Amino acid sequence: MKKLFVVALLALMNVWNVFSADVPRPEYPRPQFERADWVNLNGIWTYEFDFGNSGKDRKLQETDKFKNNIIVPFCPESKLSGVEHTDFINQMWYQRPLTIPANWNGKKIFLNFGAVDYCAEIFIDKKFIARHFGGSSSFSIDLTRYVKPGQTHNLVVFVKDDLRSGEQTGGKQCTNYFSGGCSYTRVTGIWQTVWMEAVAPNGLKNVFARPDIDQKQLVILPEFYQESNDGTLEVTVLDGKKTVAKKEVSSCNGSVVVLPMKNMNLWTPETPFLYDVVYRVKDAKGNVIDEVKSYVGMRKVHTANGIFYLNNEPYYQRLVLDQGYYPDGIWTAPSDEALKNDIVLGKEAGFNGARLHQKVFEERYYYWADKLGYITWGESASWVLDVNKELAARNFIGEWSEVVLRDRNHPSLVTWTPFNETWGGGQNAYVRLVKDVYHITKGIDPTRPINDASGDNHVLTDIWSVHNYEQDRAKLTEQLKFEEGKEPYRNTRDKDFLAVYEGQPYMLDEFGGIPWMAEKDRKNSWGYGGMPANEEEFYKRLEGQIDAIIDSKHVWGFCYTQLTDVEQEKNGVYYYNRTPKLDMKRIKAIFEKIPSRPGK
């Protein structure tokens, strides 16, 4: 009898494991705008590659099931997808059934994609309904006209990803067959969570939550799917279970909600206090027709007199370059815990934040940065984009605008970096593109400084960033020296159409990159400046570079390359599997030689 019970229990556990495996990344993907009524669509989808771009001729948009399976939200290049096809995939097709909950009748029904690289075409029951461009930005499709609650429909997604075209963002995805240098395995198709949710027709579309600590208030700018003459929006701010502010306004896009915030708890990396916020849209009778849960961090960032300020006090940024690659998921973290762990590792290494490099990180990462206290720089995946092409510029502006709109409410995010190392940018299309992106970004979010092009080639910028991988302390000190009447060290000096330094905060936002790897890995791997002979030489070289920065009083922040190894680039302070390479207490002590708050 006991044996039969154990067998039954093991069988039940196997069923549970299979069921659980069907829904990877089960957490709600948009933690700053969370609704209760949603369906996670991650799990097993069917797919077919379309190397000949003949799928539409073959009517693949009408297919109710492809012959191969893939685990969404992991890209087909990754191990976690179950596919692991790492050659170029210019076109592919996805399919899954879409069952609409019966109780969604009378509501707007949205199909949401965290990100699809690069162009996605959506078909419901053989009918084309929408197209989206942008490999890193989230988007929503209104399915209301095409589906019926209580019924099952057929969803097909066609993906195009022409990485070598120069007309789309790609980040660190390699344009050669093999990964090489600082370019790595490619990412195609769906790589973030897909989900459905139901929203009242007059529901809340988005908000811009603007903390104003100088006037001790929180300003909310709401936008609705459909405005109402007699509906209202109620905004409640809570400290735990205690209501600290509450206001009700008309549910119109022109409404402004101003909430006094007395005795504020300010958000900082050291004290990452978050207020809960609840948005309730009500009809004319006072019935709640839409409820969204959110949070806000009361904090201010600005630049003045060559200094970066957090909450009106000088704040020194000790950043680490984080590329957000994972051995098994490529661009997609294997779990929510993995996102959290990367931030924990950064803090344990002595960093107070990260420059999120050549990848738009998913919102769950920002949630953990907000919660744990970790400042971030938001960056596009701008590499492989030809910044001198007009169509490339058009594509970039659309994608980047969606990114800024999505992430502008996160208190951890303190700087926008649209471009990185745009060395080939010319005086016509490039200059115009950077100026347009700067002004568009400021229009969507005027609350943060912009680092127009990390590593120089600056056109219009609030942060003056440079890259310098000089390994010798004395040489680095000399290169970073400010001299009266001379422009400081920069990476691009010979282009008269570029900006000149005008006293912005000067930041060394790439340096270091000291390699450290096992003997067996040295043949095909690399870092900057050659491999130290032993651990002590590693510490000595690292400390020398930090001392050079300390000597350079005008430098107001740094970004060390990098948090983890990525494939053949082995210059992380952690291995690619996130285990420590060296004595992390010593590493932490070296980086923390520069305090976050100078003079305190």
Side-chain angles (χ1 to χ4, degrees):
M1 186 73 177
K2 183 177 180 181
K3 184 177 180 181
L4 289 173
F5 174 76
V6 171
V7 170
L9 180 61
L10 289 172
L12 183 62
M13 289 174 65
N14 286 334
V15 169
W16 171 252
N17 287 335
V18 169
F19 176 78
S20 298
D22 286 344
V23 188
R25 299 300 307 273
E27 62 282 344
Y28 190 82
R30 196 174 55 197
Q32 257 200 346
F33 206 79
E34 184 171 354
R35 288 188 172 93
D37 215 358
W38 72 291
V39 175
N40 192 318
L41 299 177
N42 291 343
I44 298 174
W45 295 41
T46 70
Y47 80 95
E48 182 171 323
F49 292 136
D50 187 6
F51 298 118
N53 195 19
S54 59
K56 289 184 178 178
D57 291 340
R58 292 183 285 131
K59 303 294 184 183
L60 294 189
Q61 66 270 31
E62 299 179 7
T63 302
D64 58 10
K65 187 177 184 180
F66 296 115
K67 62 181 179 180
N68 302 303
N69 290 337
I70 186 170
I71 304 298
V72 169
F74 305 107
C75 69
E77 291 87 350
S78 71
K79 294 177 183 178
L80 290 175
S81 71
V83 180
E84 210 171 347
H85 181 97
T86 57
D87 203 344
F88 288 85
I89 307 170
N90 278 10
Q91 293 89 214
M92 69 177 293
W93 296 78
Y94 292 84
Q95 179 278 334
R96 67 155 289 152
L98 205 62
T99 300
I100 313 300
N103 63 347
W104 284 8
N105 195 41
K107 294 187 176 182
K108 294 176 75 68
I109 299 167
F110 288 98
L111 175 64
N112 302 308
F113 292 85
V116 182
D117 195 6
Y118 171 74
C119 174
E121 295 183 6
I122 314 301
F123 298 84
I124 295 291
D125 297 336
K126 306 179 183 181
K127 185 175 183 179
F128 169 79
I129 62 168
R131 180 183 292 111
H132 179 264
F133 294 91
S136 296
S137 55
S138 302
F139 61 99
S140 297
I141 307 298
D142 189 344
L143 299 183
T144 312
R145 293 165 48 204
Y146 308 99
V147 298
K148 291 184 178 181
Q151 295 189 11
T152 297
H153 300 269
N154 191 52
L155 168 64
V156 173
V157 180
F158 175 47
V159 170
K160 293 187 286 185
D161 185 21
D162 192 359
L163 186 67
R164 289 166 159 168
S165 68
E167 294 173 348
Q168 66 179 65
T169 55
K172 291 297 192 76
Q173 299 179 58
C174 194
T175 55
N176 297 318
Y177 176 75
F178 293 106
S179 297
C182 53
S183 295
Y184 323 114
T185 301
R186 287 168 291 280
V187 174
T188 303
I190 298 170
W191 66 275
Q192 286 186 33
T193 292
V194 186
W195 79 102
M196 288 191 301
E197 65 183 350
V199 185
N202 290 69
L204 192 62
K205 186 174 183 180
N206 64 60
V207 298
F208 187 11
R210 294 183 57 171
D212 181 357
I213 70 169
D214 294 332
Q215 299 186 75
K216 298 181 180 180
Q217 61 187 16
L218 174 64
V219 180
I220 305 290
L221 305 175
E223 182 182 358
F224 300 87
Y225 284 108
Q226 191 172 295
E227 295 179 281
S228 170
N229 287 330
D230 47 17
T232 58
L233 171 67
E234 176 191 273
V235 183
T236 306
V237 182
L238 301 110
D239 177 354
K241 294 182 178 181
K242 179 184 177 182
T243 297
V244 297
K246 190 173 184 178
K247 191 166 185 179
E248 195 166 289
V249 298
S250 173
S251 54
C252 296
N253 292 339
S255 293
V256 178
V257 188
V258 180
L259 297 144
M261 298 291 288
K262 300 177 181 179
N263 304 314
M264 288 179 297
N265 291 302
L266 299 182
W267 186 95
T268 72
E270 296 76 24
T271 57
F273 188 91
L274 298 172
Y275 290 95
D276 290 323
V277 182
V278 179
Y279 300 100
R280 294 186 178 94
V281 181
K282 301 179 181 180
D283 62 18
K285 296 180 180 179
N287 300 311
V288 176
I289 61 172
D290 188 26
E291 179 173 290
V292 176
K293 293 182 179 179
S294 186
Y295 64 86
V296 67
M298 294 299 294
R299 70 99 181 95
K300 172 186 177 183
V301 293
H302 76 284
T303 62
N305 307 315
I307 297 172
F308 175 89
Y309 290 88
L310 174 63
N311 299 334
N312 296 321
E313 294 184 358
Y315 196 87
Y316 196 99
Q317 299 184 67
R318 299 190 310 269
L319 307 180
V320 66
L321 197 77
D322 188 345
Q323 307 204 65
Y325 270 76
Y326 299 88
D328 49 2
I330 315 300
W331 267 5
T332 311
S335 66
D336 192 47
E337 188 66 23
L339 292 173
K340 177 184 178 181
N341 186 57
D342 281 356
I343 295 169
V344 172
L345 292 177
K347 292 169 75 73
E348 290 178 348
F351 303 107
N352 57 23
R355 177 180 161 216
L356 309 181
H357 184 49
Q358 281 305 287
K359 173 190 165 185
V360 176
F361 282 48
E362 60 178 287
E363 282 195 83
R364 294 292 307 186
Y365 179 94
Y366 286 115
Y367 164 74
W368 286 115
D370 296 340
K371 194 172 180 64
L372 298 177
Y374 197 62
I375 57 178
T376 58
W377 286 20
E379 184 173 327
S380 79
S382 64
W383 269 23
V384 312
L385 182 87
D386 186 339
V387 293
N388 297 305
K389 281 188 173 183
E390 289 189 6
L391 181 56
R394 172 65 188 88
N395 287 339
F396 183 88
I397 288 171
E399 181 177 351
W400 179 249
S401 299
E402 291 176 337
V403 169
V404 175
L405 183 65
R406 189 196 76 176
D407 295 336
R408 63 184 177 176
N409 289 330
H410 289 283
S412 61
L413 202 161
V414 300
T415 299
W416 293 114
T417 302
F419 300 102
N420 174 68
E421 293 185 351
T422 49
W423 307 136
Q427 62 181 324
N428 296 319
Y430 170 71
V431 170
R432 184 179 177 187
L433 172 61
V434 174
K435 287 182 177 179
D436 286 347
V437 168
Y438 179 94
H439 291 303
I440 289 169
T441 305
K442 284 290 187 185
I444 299 173
D445 174 21
T447 70
R448 291 175 176 86
I450 297 171
N451 175 29
D452 65 346
S454 176
D456 208 351
N457 234 32
H458 295 301
V459 175
L460 184 59
T461 190
D462 303 320
I463 301 288
W464 197 272
S465 60
V466 298
H467 297 173
N468 191 324
Y469 284 101
E470 175 57 57
Q471 301 290 299
D472 181 78
R473 172 186 175 173
K475 291 180 180 178
L476 184 58
T477 300
E478 181 63 28
Q479 290 175 15
L480 294 179
K481 184 187 297 182
F482 265 36
E483 295 184 57
E484 183 105 17
K486 287 187 178 181
E487 194 168 41
Y489 172 87
R490 62 182 302 179
N491 299 95
T492 306
R493 294 180 177 272
D494 58 352
K495 297 179 179 179
D496 58 8
F497 57 84
L498 295 178
V500 296
Y501 180 65
E502 295 183 308
Q504 299 98 325
Y506 187 93
M507 297 193 180
L508 184 60
D509 72 338
E510 279 189 36
F511 84 104
I514 304 171
W516 189 256
M517 65 197 82
E519 183 72 35
K520 63 181 177 63
D521 293 328
R522 296 182 186 182
K523 184 176 180 181
N524 297 313
S525 302
W526 69 282
Y528 291 93
M531 179 88 167
N534 51 54
E535 285 191 30
E536 286 303 319
E537 185 179 313
F538 184 100
Y539 300 130
K540 182 179 178 181
R541 194 195 299 183
L542 175 61
E543 189 162 13
Q545 292 179 29
I546 293 298
D547 288 341
I549 295 173
I550 292 173
D551 293 339
S552 308
K553 304 300 182 185
H554 57 278
V555 174
W556 204 256
F558 66 70
C559 178
Y560 183 81
T561 302
Q562 62 182 320
L563 182 64
T564 73
D565 293 345
V566 182
E567 299 185 2
Q568 69 281 347
E569 187 175 351
K570 292 184 167 57
N571 49 22
V573 294
Y574 295 95
Y575 291 110
Y576 199 15
N577 67 2
R578 272 60 178 175
T579 57
K581 291 184 174 183
L582 300 161
D583 183 345
M584 296 313 297
K585 289 184 179 179
R586 289 188 68 177
I587 297 291
K588 185 175 191 285
I590 291 171
F591 286 120
E592 289 185 345
K593 288 181 73 172
I594 305 178
S596 299
R597 298 183 182 278
K600 290 192 176 183

